[in-house]
Structure formats: structure tokens, C-alpha cells
Amino acid sequence: MLYYSPMLLGLCLLLAVAIAATALWQISRPYSGPGFWMAGSWSLIGGIGLFIAFILTGSPTLNVLGNAAQLAGEALFLLGIFRFMGRQLPWWIVPLSVSLMVLFNIHYWMFDGHSDFLMGIYSTIAGLLPAQAVWLLLREKSDPATRPARLLVGISLLIYSAVTLLRGYLGYRDWWLDAPYINPYESFSYLLPYNFAIPALVMGFIGVTLMTMQRILANSEIHAEQARHNALRFERLLGATTSAVMIVKTGLIQDANRRLEQLTGLSRQSLLQQPVITLFPSQSRNLIEQHLSRAHASQLDVDALHTSGKSFPAEISIAPLSADSNDLLLEIRDVSHRKALEQQLQLLATQDSLTGALNRRAFNERAQQEFKRAARYQQPLSLAILDLDHFKSINDSYGHLAGDHALQQFAGLCRRLLRESDIFSRFGGEEFVVLLTQTDDAAAMALLERLRQEVSKLALQQGAESFGLRVSVGLATWQAGDQLDSLFKRADQALYAAKSSGRNRVISWTDDVHARLADV
């Protein structure tokens, strides 16, 4: 008899819904709602299974549990709609509907109640449960992407509610009229939900499945649009930056911005899948490979190559693109301007701004190194102090601009005659100092005498007038145990002797010079 009953067909339909709901829950996580639909479907299956067992065995316990499980399943299914719509869950409908049904069901068995009245109670509760969900589905306007499916679910639940309430009405009527008992599988009112309400519920599940798919599709389109927007924004950011940015994997360039073309002179397409170390001179490649092999961010300064073969100073930054990827983000910045500025600042810090000679601080630093070298290798070293004769009169007669020009011409002449290893400095005013490396007293005298003669030949012009320069030079040669101060003191004494002897001459410090000055 059960084989030909719509009850078995309804059970099979609900079983298919439960399996489909489980699959929907698996594929739609973490979206909210499908989990409730799955739990509700399996609860309905369990309730119908218990009720069929009641029909076969007549056990009151199975009857109570079967009705309670079915109502709990319907309530959970409706909670899923609220969760899917992002609304506050009416949790109270689950315990309220189940407890009401259990109380009436127990009363029925304890006091020999009327089965039609009990069926009316069950149908009333089951028919009223979807009311809130139907109202929410039909009037919701904030989610246009799921509107067609929401209408299908709302109409399906409305049909389910109407059929179930009709079943309840027929139950109350038969109870009121004291109609004779009819077996459930032979009762029109009892089989009414299996013929109409369960198909409507199945249609509602199809609707919630479509609703979920529409939500997933709409969100996927939003995410795809966001991804396109982010990719476009990232590309524009890469295009706007003054740095060349690359994605590197296993040492090969995977992608790069257009700035890399400008820095290297190579097309972006030709750079793809090429070893990144080819962008650097051979002497820097081992260092680059070491930094590429590290798992953390690093930064270094090396030279990078242009396709013309010229190199340029670059600052390299290397960082992992993500924690779960071997891809690296490598950034190259051309720091030529910065290096040039650093060199310029270095010159300003070490050179005299007017003549280009070293200033006193820079001279002292380099002189200390030469003193150490002379002491270690016992090499000759000479220091000379050069002072322009009567320089104040040039400023007074021709102006300070003429005096500045004279200092510049004198410094230029000194640099031309001195060697690159010699250290030339302006100590202030018209006084200059030169440290002659690997030069003994005789060689220093010859060089300085030649310098004095060349200075005397300078003809400087100021307007219609011309004037010349003369220089007095005091020389001292390094002796064992000398420090810069002691050598400088002797050279200064020799300079004083040169000026005292009539100026425009070179005098080297000797014991005789020292004795003569002591007498003065």
C-alpha cells in the first residue's frame, strides 16, 4: 500500500532536495543560508521517516518525534532565508513550533484525542511558519540580482502555506463534524500536502538554489570588476612611478612596467623570461643573485646597464611578492641625480668654493694618511706654505673681484704644475699649502722654484690696467718622528724667512734658518 502512496513519492522528493541542499552547501561556502537549508531538509527527511515507522508500528513516541522533526525542519529551512537575506534570525520559531506540536501530540496520546484535530494543529503551525519569510522575500528591494529567484521562492512558499492551512481547515472540520477515522494514506486531507505542498516546497528549494547561484554570480562579477579596477590602478601606479618594477621568478623576469624600457633601452617584450642579472654588470651579478635567493626583503646600491653599454648608479629593492609564492618584486631606481648631488656635496664639504683647492679639514685628513705612509715605508715627504706677496694691495687697488680672479689663476697654475698625488689646499686668504708626496728637499725646491717663476710670468688684467703676482714659499721636509704640526711649524718658519729676505723666493728650512730666526 505504501508503495503506491504519495507519501513515498514525497519522501523521495525530499530526499533528493536534502542531497541537493548538501551539495549546495558544499559549493556555496562561506555564503550564509545553504547550511540551514541542508539541515532543514535532512530534518524533514528524518521526520517523515519516523512518521512512516509510526504507521508501520503504531508507536506514539515515533509519532511525536516524527511531527516535531518535520516542523523543526520547516522552521530551519525558513531561518536559512533570513540568514541569506542578512536579516536577524527569528530563532524563537524553532522552539515555539516544536514545543507546541509536542504538547498537543502528547495530549493526543494521553487523553485519546482526535487525530483530525491533531492534524489541524500541525497544519496550522506548519502553514503559519513561512509567513514572515514570504513577506520578506516579496517586499525586499535591496538585492536586485536575486529578485527573480526570490519571487519564485516567495510564491512557492505562499502556495505551500495555503495548501498546508487548507489541510488544517479540513482537519478542524472533520473534528468538528466528528467524521469517522480514515487511515492517513487513504485520507484526502492528509495526503493533500504530499500531492501539492511538498512539490511547492521542492519548487521553493529550486528557487533558493537559483537565488544562491545568482548571488554567487553577482558577487563574482563584482569581484571581477574590482579585480579589473585594481589591475588597472596597479598598472597606472606602475606607469606613474619613476622606478622600474619587475616580477621575478627563479631569476627570470615575468612582468615589468614601461619604466624598465626607459632605464635599459630594451623593449618590455624582449625582457620577459630573460635572466634579471643581465641588467647588471658582471661584477655585480653574484651580489644580485645572493639577494634574490634570500626569503626576506633587501636593498642594495649597484650599477645597472643600459643597452648602449653604459652603466648608471641604481638603488635595488627586492621583496617577496606574497608569503605563499616564490615570486619576487624587484625595483630599480636610477639614482644618478642623487649620486651627482652627493658628489657635489662632498666637493662642497672638502673644497674651497673660490679656488677649487682642498679646504683645511680635507687637507688634514689626507695629510695624516700620507704621514703614516711615509713613516711606514720611509719615503720622503715635503710640505710647502705659499703666500702671495702684497696681496692686500691688489684688493685695495683693483677691488676684491680682481683679487678673487688672481687667487683663481694662481690656484689653477698650481694644479697644472703639481702632480695628482700632491695635496694642494687653501688655508685662508692668500695662503696656500701643498704636501709633496715622495719628494725630498732638492726635488721640492726645484718644483717650487719653477712654480715661483711661472707665477711671476702671470699677467692679469683688470679693466685697462694689468698687474702681476709674486709668491713667497716656505719649505720643510719630513724627518723621523715628525707630525703634521711640527712639519707645518718649520715650513712656516721658512716662509717667514722668505718674506724677511725680500719676498718672491723659496726658502727651505735648515738649522741655519732656525738659528737666524732665533736670533731675531
Side-chain angles (χ1 to χ4, degrees):
M1 183 71 67
L2 184 62
Y3 181 76
Y4 300 99
S5 171
M7 189 182 299
L8 182 61
L9 176 61
L11 178 64
C12 293
L13 286 174
L14 289 177
L15 180 61
V17 167
I19 294 173
T22 303
L24 179 64
W25 172 71
Q26 287 285 342
I27 66 174
S28 64
R29 287 184 295 178
Y31 287 92
S32 301
F36 283 90
W37 299 329
M38 177 189 68
S41 300
W42 284 112
S43 182
L44 271 173
I45 293 293
I48 294 175
L50 290 171
F51 194 81
I52 292 175
F54 157 70
I55 294 176
L56 297 176
T57 64
S59 170
T61 303
L62 294 176
N63 177 243
V64 174
L65 293 177
N67 286 333
Q70 289 182 70
L71 282 177
E74 294 181 32
L76 288 172
F77 191 89
L78 297 172
L79 288 180
I81 293 176
F82 281 87
R83 174 57 64 86
F84 183 85
M85 301 297 294
R87 299 303 178 87
Q88 185 176 359
L89 298 182
W91 285 102
W92 54 268
I93 66 173
V94 179
L96 179 62
S97 57
V98 171
S99 59
L100 283 175
M101 190 64 231
V102 169
L103 289 174
F104 278 103
N105 218 155
I106 293 175
H107 180 274
Y108 167 79
W109 287 105
M110 291 182 64
F111 299 100
D112 195 20
H114 200 288
S115 61
D116 290 326
F117 180 78
L118 183 63
M119 182 180 68
I121 293 295
Y122 178 92
S123 300
T124 301
I125 298 173
L128 292 177
L129 277 175
Q132 292 186 77
V134 171
W135 178 254
L136 175 63
L137 289 165
L138 295 181
R139 66 186 296 270
E140 180 66 33
K141 296 180 180 179
S142 62
D143 191 9
T146 63
R147 180 171 176 76
R150 279 191 287 108
L151 292 177
L152 174 61
V153 177
I155 293 171
S156 299
L157 292 180
L158 189 62
I159 294 173
Y160 173 83
S161 180
V163 171
T164 306
L165 290 174
L166 176 60
R167 174 199 182 191
Y169 164 75
L170 294 176
Y172 291 132
R173 187 200 64 178
D174 291 344
W175 167 68
W176 184 260
L177 297 177
D178 198 19
Y181 175 77
I182 302 176
N183 289 326
Y185 52 82
E186 296 176 347
S187 171
F188 170 79
S189 61
Y190 196 89
L191 293 176
L192 182 65
Y194 290 97
N195 287 309
F196 297 100
I198 289 181
L201 192 62
V202 172
M203 186 64 68
F205 175 74
I206 294 174
V208 297
T209 302
L210 292 174
M211 195 163 61
T212 304
M213 293 298 104
Q214 287 174 339
R215 173 72 61 80
I216 293 174
L217 180 61
N219 287 343
S220 297
E221 291 176 350
I222 292 174
H223 294 157
E225 181 60 30
Q226 289 176 344
R228 286 193 293 269
H229 175 73
N230 290 338
L232 179 60
R233 182 172 61 178
F234 182 68
E235 185 175 350
R236 287 178 176 175
L237 285 173
L238 289 182
T241 181
T242 58
S243 303
V245 181
M246 293 168 281
I247 295 176
V248 179
K249 185 173 185 178
T250 62
L252 302 179
I253 301 173
Q254 305 298 312
D255 200 359
N257 64 350
R258 297 295 179 185
R259 177 60 177 161
L260 186 61
E261 294 183 339
Q262 301 171 9
L263 287 182
T264 63
L266 300 170
S267 69
R268 175 176 171 273
Q269 196 63 35
S270 66
L271 288 167
L272 298 183
Q273 298 303 317
Q274 296 301 312
V276 69
I277 59 172
T278 59
L279 302 179
F280 305 95
S282 56
Q283 62 270 22
S284 301
R285 292 178 181 178
N286 288 337
L287 181 61
I288 296 295
E289 288 179 335
Q290 291 174 12
H291 281 261
L292 288 175
S293 63
R294 296 177 180 175
H296 54 82
S298 59
Q299 188 169 326
L300 65 156
D301 290 335
V302 296
D303 285 344
L305 287 176
H306 189 272
T307 186
S308 63
K310 296 181 179 179
S311 61
F312 58 90
E315 183 180 83
I316 312 299
S317 297
I318 302 172
L321 189 60
S322 62
D324 56 351
S325 171
N326 293 327
D327 293 349
L328 298 174
L329 194 66
L330 190 147
E331 185 177 2
I332 302 178
R333 287 179 289 275
D334 185 353
V335 292
S336 300
H337 294 295
R338 191 191 76 187
K339 292 295 184 181
L341 179 60
E342 289 176 355
Q343 292 177 358
Q344 185 177 2
L345 292 174
Q346 180 67 19
L347 290 176
L348 291 175
T350 59
Q351 287 187 352
D352 172 59
S353 59
L354 177 64
T355 63
L358 292 178
N359 59 26
R360 181 176 295 203
R361 181 177 64 84
F363 174 85
N364 288 338
E365 290 177 357
R366 291 187 57 183
Q368 292 295 343
Q369 298 174 4
E370 293 300 329
F371 267 75
K372 292 178 181 179
R373 184 179 292 108
R376 171 178 292 184
Y377 300 107
Q378 295 298 306
Q379 295 175 343
L381 188 66
S382 298
L383 184 140
I385 302 176
L386 299 82
D387 191 88
L388 294 177
D389 295 333
H390 304 297
F391 184 76
K392 185 176 182 300
S393 64
I394 296 176
N395 283 330
D396 294 341
S397 301
Y398 305 104
H400 287 283
L401 289 179
D404 290 346
H405 179 65
L407 291 173
Q408 291 171 341
Q409 293 298 312
F410 172 75
L413 174 62
C414 290
R415 280 194 294 270
R416 288 195 297 272
L417 293 178
L418 295 173
R419 300 164 301 177
E420 290 186 4
S421 61
D422 297 330
I423 304 173
F424 177 63
S425 170
R426 181 188 179 195
F427 266 39
E430 66 275 17
E431 185 178 84
F432 294 81
V433 177
V434 58
L435 187 66
L436 302 170
T437 61
Q438 300 182 21
T439 306
D440 58 17
D441 185 77
M445 282 293 295
L447 174 62
L448 293 171
E449 180 60 28
R450 180 186 172 198
L451 173 63
R452 186 194 65 78
Q453 295 175 6
E454 292 295 327
V455 170
S456 299
K457 296 177 183 178
L458 282 176
L460 304 177
Q461 196 76 23
Q462 177 61 29
E465 299 183 64
S466 63
F467 62 94
L469 291 175
R470 301 292 183 269
V471 62
S472 297
V473 182
L475 172 66
T477 303
W478 178 80
Q479 299 174 357
D482 260 337
Q483 298 297 324
L484 179 60
D485 289 344
S486 59
L487 187 61
F488 193 91
K489 182 178 180 180
R490 295 204 306 274
D492 190 54
Q493 292 175 351
L495 175 64
Y496 182 80
K499 287 183 173 291
S500 301
S501 302
R503 304 179 187 272
N504 190 26
R505 65 194 62 217
V506 180
I507 292 184
S508 176
W509 186 93
T510 62
D511 290 337
D512 291 341
V513 171
H514 178 66
R516 188 167 63 250
L517 290 175
D519 292 338
V520 176

